[in-house]
Each structure stands twice: as C-alpha cells, then as structure tokens.
Amino acid sequence: PVLGFVLEEAPIRRPLGGTMVWRQQLERLLEVGRLRNVTLQVMPTHRETHPGLDGRIELLKFEDGTAVGRSDGAFSGRPISDPRQLRILELRYGTIRAQALPPGESLAFIEQLLGET
C-alpha cells in the first residue's frame, strides 16, 4: 500500500517517556519516512490554521476504485463512502499536505530534532 501521513510539529517535539524513548520515536519516524511507499510530512506550528485542526482525516482508496473515509471534524466522525463527501475529505487532506513541510524537509526537520537530543 501507499501511505501518506502529516504529523503536527508540537507532539514530535515533546519528549514524552524521557529522552531515550523520544529518540527511539524520532528514529522510527525517520525509518518509516524513508520507505518508498510512505510519504511523511510535518505540519509546522507556525501555520495558524489548517483543515486538520478539527482532528484526523483518514482516507482509504482501493484498487477497484471504491473508497471510504473518516474525519473527526466532519460527518459526525462516521465512516463515509459517498463520492461527494469523500471529495470534501480529499480536498481537506490536499490542503493540509500543501501547508505542511515537503517530505524531504520533514525528514530533515526530524533529523535536526534527533541531533538536538
């Protein structure tokens, strides 16, 4: 599968579990973010607003052309499969990706955090 993730900067910076646990989490993010089938992006905290502030957006697209989606902030958080509603989630996710750091810069950012630990 092809996977795409956009993570908020703030939780990535927070050393929950102590420095060693935090380092392991950052190392794991780098490992996963370097996989060919994964796109990992970081949403900088200096972006005042973006469509993901209402909660996560999940989209699954299947080979047969069908899809299902879910968002904490839309459609009462219920799974949806209606093409018009899915298009709304796709547009929101596209906006989020456009506002986030590009994948290469995101990995460089995580590497920088790792170097600061």
Side-chain angles (χ1 to χ4, degrees):
V2 177
L3 304 170
F5 301 95
V6 179
L7 306 171
E8 288 283 346
E9 175 183 345
I12 295 172
R13 285 188 172 275
R14 188 165 291 121
L16 292 174
T19 302
M20 291 308 298
V21 171
W22 182 42
R23 283 187 61 82
Q24 290 171 345
Q25 291 170 343
L26 295 174
E27 289 168 352
R28 181 68 176 144
L29 285 175
L30 287 173
E31 181 183 338
V32 170
R34 290 181 179 136
L35 296 172
R36 289 185 313 182
N37 64 322
V38 174
T39 302
L40 182 115
Q41 292 178 260
V42 174
M43 179 64 74
T45 55
H46 68 270
R47 302 280 195 262
E48 285 189 33
T49 62
H50 62 78
L53 291 175
D54 290 338
R56 68 181 163 208
I57 295 173
E58 301 166 340
L59 292 167
L60 298 172
K61 295 182 179 183
F62 304 100
E63 288 183 16
D64 66 0
T66 62
V68 65
R70 188 186 137 338
S71 173
D72 294 335
F75 313 113
S76 302
R78 292 186 308 246
I80 57 161
S81 58
D82 176 71
R84 289 178 300 191
Q85 293 175 331
L86 286 169
R87 184 71 183 136
I88 290 169
L89 294 185
E90 289 173 346
L91 289 170
R92 288 180 183 176
Y93 184 62
T95 301
I96 290 168
R97 290 198 58 203
Q99 290 180 299
L101 296 175
E105 288 181 33
S106 295
L107 293 178
F109 173 78
I110 295 169
E111 288 173 345
Q112 178 186 348
L113 284 179
L114 191 56
E116 294 174 4
T117 61

